[in-house]
Amino acid sequence: MKQTKPPRGRPKTLDRDQVINIAMMSYWTEGPMNVSLNEICKRAGVSKPGVYREFGSEDGLKHTVLSAYSRLLIEQFQPLLNRDKSFEETLETLIAIALQDKSEQELPSGCLHVASCNCIEQLGIHTAEITTEIREHILANYETIIERAKKRGEFKSELSTRLAALYINEQIGNAMLQQKRGESAEDIKAILTLSLSVLV
C-alpha cells in the first residue's frame, strides 16, 4: 500500500476563533492602535508566524476582528428596524442600546467601531476599508429609519435624510466616547436625548 506523505511545515495548532476573540477584546478595551501584535500573540499564547499564516498580516487580523465585530452591531439594529414603532420610540430604543451597561455581558465599554473610525488614518488598508463599510451600513440603517419616519409625518426636521443619518451617527459616536471615558451614564443619556430631540 502506498503511504501518504505528511503535509509539509508544522501542524496547525492556532485556534482562530480564540485569537479573534482575544484580539477583539484587546482592541475594544485599549484601542485598535494601542495593542501591539506581539502583545496579542502573548495574550493568545500563539506565535507571530502562526498569526501571519492564519491572517496574512496584522492588518489582516484587524480586518477579521472588525468583520466579526460588525455582526454584533448588525444584531443591535434589528429592534430599531421594527416597523411598528414610532420614530420617537425608535430613538428611545437607540439611546437604550447605545448606553446599555456592557459590563453585565462582560464586554468593554464604548464601541470598537467608533474607536476605529477615530484612528482610521493609522489603520492598515484592509482594516480601514472594513471600518468604512461598517459605517456606511450603519448610515444606511439610519436612513431607512428616517425615510420611514418622513413617510409617516413623524420627522419634524428640515434636514435631508443623509444629513440626518450623519447627525445621528455623530451623536451616538460621541456618546460612545463619553461612555469609554467613564462619564456619568445619566449625563450621557441626558445629552444624547437632548441632541436627538431636534429631530422629533
Side-chain angles (χ1 to χ4, degrees), residues 8-16 19 37 41 45-58 60-61 64:
R8 292 183 178 181
R10 289 178 293 179
K12 182 178 177 181
T13 58
L14 183 148
D15 186 327
R16 180 183 176 87
V19 173
L37 182 57
C41 291
V46 297
S47 68
K48 186 182 288 188
V51 170
Y52 281 134
R53 281 195 300 272
E54 187 67 31
F55 301 100
S57 64
E58 184 174 10
L61 172 61
T64 303

Side-chain angles (χ1 to χ4, degrees), residues 4 15 33 59 87:
T4 303
D15 186 327
M33 298 305 299
D59 186 27
F87 184 55

Side-chain angles (χ1 to χ4, degrees), residues 45-186:
V46 297
S47 68
K48 186 182 288 188
V51 170
Y52 281 134
R53 281 195 300 272
E54 187 67 31
F55 301 100
S57 64
E58 184 174 10
D59 186 27
L61 172 61
K62 288 182 178 180
H63 175 276
T64 303
V65 168
L66 263 294
S67 296
Y69 184 78
S70 71
R71 291 191 284 274
L72 298 176
L73 290 180
I74 291 169
E75 288 176 5
Q76 290 186 336
F77 271 100
Q78 296 314 306
L80 301 177
L81 299 175
N82 184 336
R83 294 183 177 277
D84 294 330
K85 288 188 176 182
S86 68
F87 184 55
E88 187 172 1
E89 289 174 321
T90 299
L91 289 181
E92 289 174 355
T93 301
L94 175 59
I95 292 170
I97 291 172
L99 301 183
Q100 63 185 318
D101 184 358
K102 297 184 181 68
S103 64
E104 296 177 357
Q105 303 169 276
E106 298 184 347
L107 294 174
S109 62
C111 174
L112 176 55
H113 177 251
V114 170
S116 298
C117 286
N118 283 347
C119 64
I120 193 166
E121 298 87 356
Q122 300 171 269
L123 298 175
I125 185 170
H126 299 299
T127 309
E129 285 176 353
I130 189 66
T131 298
T132 300
E133 288 174 13
I134 294 170
R135 181 176 184 271
E136 287 303 317
H137 182 84
I138 292 171
L139 290 172
N141 278 310
Y142 288 148
E143 288 172 1
T144 297
I145 293 165
I146 293 163
E147 280 296 310
R148 184 178 69 200
K150 285 184 174 182
K151 289 178 181 178
R152 292 176 173 177
E154 299 170 339
F155 191 82
K156 307 304 181 184
S157 172
E158 298 293 328
L159 294 176
S160 69
T161 297
R162 178 67 177 183
L163 186 55
L166 289 167
Y167 177 78
I168 292 173
N169 191 55
E170 188 69 19
Q171 303 314 309
I172 296 299
N174 287 337
M176 294 289 91
L177 293 175
Q178 289 175 301
Q179 186 186 62
K180 189 67 178 178
R181 292 196 298 264
E183 296 183 20
S184 161
E186 292 77 12

